[in-house]
């Protein structure tokens, strides 16, 4: 489609997303890039260099869009601000440029089971006094302010890059703004699962220490979720049409919960957020790791149509559409197929997804997970899909 | 924000946190804004 300028193209693309999200028939199905570090390999660079050099990262992000012409990108090289944490002397990411790998250390817990009472008593105090020194050994009694000043400077450099790249991609490439400013929605289970207790610790707490786990979930939610919901409900009501989405959430902790545990530990807090989103008229993207909708879809089926778009990693989108006709779906293209399938297979699946899920709205084509490693996508397969979508 | 400041307590909450927010060069003037900005950095470092 020929556009006079980037602002017209941006408005066109934003409307594609908004129509799909609100379950209206869009002019065509929008295509969302979920490429993160894969972009670096595709542009012929190494992780270690690109993740520390904002000028190089800008070049990589530009190349990604020039080559594939997506309708929006989830990441402009902003996902992992390595330089900020490294200014304090520690990184939890291990980058290996010899085999192009990047790993996050998960063999760590920042709070023992015995310390849950302490965490519940004052979450901010515990985070500051106990978790920070554990994660960053240089954050200790002899730390001079000038060492932390380096963190501040890196934070400011990162923010400057973020502002610049957002402006470049919006004004030069006609890409829509991705997620509107909104108070961060804190899910206590996700926080414990991903950061504070780790997968093993959180799983053990659910089985052996329910009382203390409930106390921690309530304390964390009171400290970090309640204020965000209060702010959200004071914001102007309705969607922000300048952005693809009004907000986003990530569901991961359900992967270690059975249905009873989900009902008991996770759902009460998820419900608070979803109810507040509906009350404030906000439309959000929810990324779902692993599988969820094969057993937990009923929780979402009675919400009004067009508020939530589930980006599904492991669930079958065709089956989920039958269970949740009120929710938009995002994804559909498995990284495994992109990386190892044929161009013909990729195009056949794309065609089917668009015809069966997108013809009347409610579908955004994307990859099923963050494209991270070199083999997460064959560039020729991805290009073929992009060309097909853009020719619609 | 030099040697003298290094002797201060920075590691307790809330007093050390307030000391750190006071001693750093931050892009805000008021105590409330400086502490809110510092907390976003601390929160980000923990989540990173």
């Amino acid at each position: 489609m020929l556009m006079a300028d980037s602002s017209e193209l941006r408005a066109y693309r934003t409307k594609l997303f908004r129509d799909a999200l609100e379950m209206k028939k869009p002019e065509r199905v929008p295509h969302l890039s979920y490429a993160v570090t894969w972009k670096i390999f595709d542009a012929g660079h190494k992780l270690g260099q690109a993740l520390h050099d904002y000028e190089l990262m800008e070049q990589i992000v530009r190349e990604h869009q020039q080559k594939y012409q997506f309708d929006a990108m989830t990441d402009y090289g902003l996902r992992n601000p390595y330089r900020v944490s490294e200014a304090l002397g520690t990184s939890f990411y291990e980058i290996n440029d010899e085999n192009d790998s990047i790993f996050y250390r998960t063999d760590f817990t920042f709070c023992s089971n015995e310390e849950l009472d302490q965490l519940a008593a004052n979450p901010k105090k515990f985070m500051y006094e106990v978790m920070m020194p554990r994660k960053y050994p240089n954050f200790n009694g002899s730390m001079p302010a000038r060492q932390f000043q380096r963190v501040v400077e890196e934070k400011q450099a990162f923010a400057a890059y973020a502002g610049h790249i957002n402006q470049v991609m919006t004004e030069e490439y006609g890409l829509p703004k991705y997620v509107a400013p909104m108070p961060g929605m804190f899910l206590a289970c996700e926080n414990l699962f991903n950061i504070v207790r780790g997968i093993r610790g959180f799983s053990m707490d659910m089985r052996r220490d329910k009382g203390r786990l409930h106390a921690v979930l309530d304390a964390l939610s009171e400290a970090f979720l309640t204020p965000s919901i209060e702010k959200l409900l004071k914001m102007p009501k309705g969607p922000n049409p300048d952005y693809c989405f009004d907000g986003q959430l990530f569901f991961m902790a359900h992967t270690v919960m059975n249905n009873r545990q989900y009902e008991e530990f996770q759902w009460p807090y998820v419900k608070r957020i979803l109810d507040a989103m509906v009350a404030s008229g906000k439309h959000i993207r929810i990324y779902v790791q692993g599988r969820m909708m094969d057993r937990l879809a009923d929780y979402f089926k009675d919400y009004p149509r067009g508020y939530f778009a589930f980006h599904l990693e492991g669930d079958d989108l065709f089956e989920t559409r039958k269970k949740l006709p009120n929710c938009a779906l995002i994804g559909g293209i498995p990284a495994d197929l992109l990386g190892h399938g044929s161009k013909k297979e990729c195009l056949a699946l794309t065609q089917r997804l668009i015809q069966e899920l997108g013809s009347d709205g409610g579908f955004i084509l994307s990859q099923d997970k963050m494209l991270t490693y070199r083999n997460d996508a064959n560039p020729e397969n991805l290009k073929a899909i992009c060309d097909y979508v853009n020719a619609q | 924000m030099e040697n003298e400041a290094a002797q201060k307590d920075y590691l307790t909450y809330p007093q050390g946190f307030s000391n750190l927010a006071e001693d750093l060069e931050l892009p805000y003037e008021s105590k409330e804004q400086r502490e809110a900005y510092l907390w976003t950095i601390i929160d980000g470092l923990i989540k990173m």
Side-chain angles (χ1 to χ4, degrees):
Chain A
M1 179 158 191
L2 286 174
M3 293 288 165
D5 58 32
S6 64
S7 64
E8 194 184 345
L9 182 56
R10 188 171 75 239
Y12 166 75
R13 285 169 162 159
T14 307
K15 188 169 186 313
L16 292 181
F17 280 94
R18 281 293 172 179
D19 286 349
L21 182 52
E22 292 167 18
M23 316 289 290
K24 297 175 191 162
K25 188 176 173 60
E27 192 166 323
R28 69 165 167 77
V29 165
H31 195 188
L32 177 67
S33 168
Y34 205 12
V36 186
T37 48
W38 180 84
K39 295 193 287 287
I40 297 168
F41 305 124
D42 189 44
H45 297 284
K46 290 287 183 184
L47 288 168
Q49 190 187 0
L51 293 170
H52 293 90
D53 181 342
Y54 294 138
E55 284 184 18
L56 177 57
M57 186 58 87
E58 176 183 342
Q59 183 189 323
I60 289 164
V61 172
R62 283 174 178 267
E63 279 182 32
H64 185 68
Q65 182 57 18
Q66 284 161 4
K67 186 171 176 182
Y68 298 106
Q69 297 290 314
F70 280 100
D71 293 312
M73 291 169 63
T74 54
D75 173 64
Y76 290 157
L78 295 163
R79 186 173 179 275
N80 303 109
Y82 298 90
R83 283 172 38 175
V84 181
S85 61
E86 285 170 355
L88 205 45
T90 308
S91 174
F92 263 60
Y93 287 88
E94 291 175 10
I95 297 170
N96 184 332
D97 276 335
E98 283 184 20
N99 59 14
D100 291 335
S101 67
I102 179 168
F103 292 107
Y104 183 74
R105 288 173 54 194
T106 54
D107 58 335
F108 210 93
T109 181
F110 296 109
C111 168
S112 69
N113 175 269
E114 293 74 25
E115 291 169 323
L116 287 174
D117 291 337
Q118 207 183 328
L119 172 63
N122 190 335
K124 277 193 163 182
K125 184 177 173 68
F126 188 86
M127 286 166 69
Y128 191 80
E129 292 183 359
V130 181
M131 289 175 62
M132 274 297 288
R134 279 185 189 160
K135 187 160 188 179
Y136 299 96
N138 286 340
F139 194 83
N140 59 41
S142 59
M143 179 188 74
R146 63 177 174 274
Q147 168 139 28
F148 206 89
Q149 188 67 46
R150 289 193 51 228
V151 178
V152 174
E153 287 162 8
E154 284 297 345
K155 165 85 175 168
Q156 289 172 329
F158 179 76
Y161 169 68
H164 172 71
I165 192 69
N166 273 297
Q167 188 175 8
V168 164
M169 301 313 288
T170 303
E171 294 181 1
E172 292 186 34
Y173 294 87
L175 281 179
K177 296 174 186 174
Y178 178 50
V179 177
M182 176 186 277
M185 288 298 147
F186 179 93
L187 269 172
C189 280
E190 302 294 342
N191 187 254
L192 294 178
F193 171 83
N194 283 306
I195 300 162
V196 180
R197 291 283 290 130
I199 296 170
R200 188 166 182 273
F202 177 64
S203 302
M204 298 285 274
D205 295 340
M206 283 194 297
R207 285 160 183 77
R208 297 183 183 173
D209 215 346
K210 289 184 182 188
R212 286 207 289 176
L213 179 56
H214 275 299
V216 168
L217 293 173
D218 286 344
L220 288 171
S221 300
E222 193 53 33
F224 302 115
L225 176 60
T226 299
S228 293
I229 287 182
E230 286 170 358
K231 282 184 198 162
L232 170 67
L233 294 174
K234 287 177 186 162
M235 288 174 68
K237 199 171 174 181
N240 185 334
D242 290 338
Y243 292 80
C244 296
F245 304 98
D246 296 313
Q248 57 183 348
L249 286 174
F250 296 87
F251 289 170
M252 299 175 187
H254 63 276
T255 52
V256 296
M257 294 175 177
N258 61 34
N259 291 12
R260 187 180 45 76
Q261 288 166 332
Y262 184 84
E263 169 78 22
E264 181 175 355
F265 298 113
Q266 176 80 307
W267 175 244
Y269 306 100
V270 170
K271 184 175 187 306
R272 281 185 68 193
I273 296 175
L274 300 188
D275 289 353
M277 292 292 173
V278 172
S280 60
K282 304 299 180 190
H283 302 174
I284 60 168
R285 166 184 179 253
I286 302 171
Y287 183 73
V288 179
Q289 193 173 59
R291 289 169 60 160
M292 179 183 208
M293 299 310 175
D294 51 349
R295 62 191 175 93
L296 298 167
D298 277 358
Y299 285 102
F300 311 103
K301 70 180 171 51
D302 294 327
Y303 278 100
R305 186 177 161 85
Y307 278 82
F308 309 131
F310 287 103
H311 192 154
L312 302 173
E313 181 190 27
D315 285 298
D316 183 306
L317 274 75
F318 301 102
E319 290 303 313
T320 306
R321 168 53 52 84
K322 292 176 201 162
K323 292 176 183 172
L324 295 176
N326 55 326
C327 298
L329 302 177
I330 307 176
I333 306 290
D336 192 42
L337 181 70
L338 266 180
H340 304 285
S342 68
K343 199 184 288 185
K344 192 177 169 188
E345 289 171 316
C346 289
L347 286 173
L349 178 60
T350 303
Q351 231 166 351
R352 185 182 170 215
L353 286 162
I354 289 175
Q355 281 168 3
E356 293 187 27
L357 299 178
S359 54
D360 291 322
F363 177 60
I364 294 166
L365 185 73
S366 188
Q367 304 85 54
D368 66 341
K369 64 181 73 160
M370 283 189 296
L371 301 183
T372 303
Y373 302 104
R374 187 183 290 280
N375 291 334
D376 281 350
N378 174 339
E380 289 182 11
N381 286 346
L382 189 58
K383 183 77 169 68
I385 293 172
C386 292
D387 289 347
Y388 177 83
V389 174
N390 287 325
Q392 297 294 297
Chain B
M1 192 207 64
E2 278 308 323
N3 296 336
E4 180 190 338
Q7 306 306 312
K8 275 193 188 174
D9 158 35
Y10 289 136
L11 223 61
T12 59
Y13 187 90
Q15 188 54 54
F17 172 77
S18 291
N19 290 344
L20 188 57
E22 190 180 309
D23 287 343
L24 291 169
E25 289 172 23
L26 300 176
Y28 296 101
E29 290 298 323
S30 78
K31 182 176 189 292
E32 190 184 36
Q33 284 178 314
R34 294 172 68 83
E35 292 192 359
Y37 184 75
L38 178 57
W39 185 259
T40 64
I41 296 177
I42 295 288
D43 187 52
L45 285 167
I46 287 173
K47 288 176 179 163
M48 218 170 273

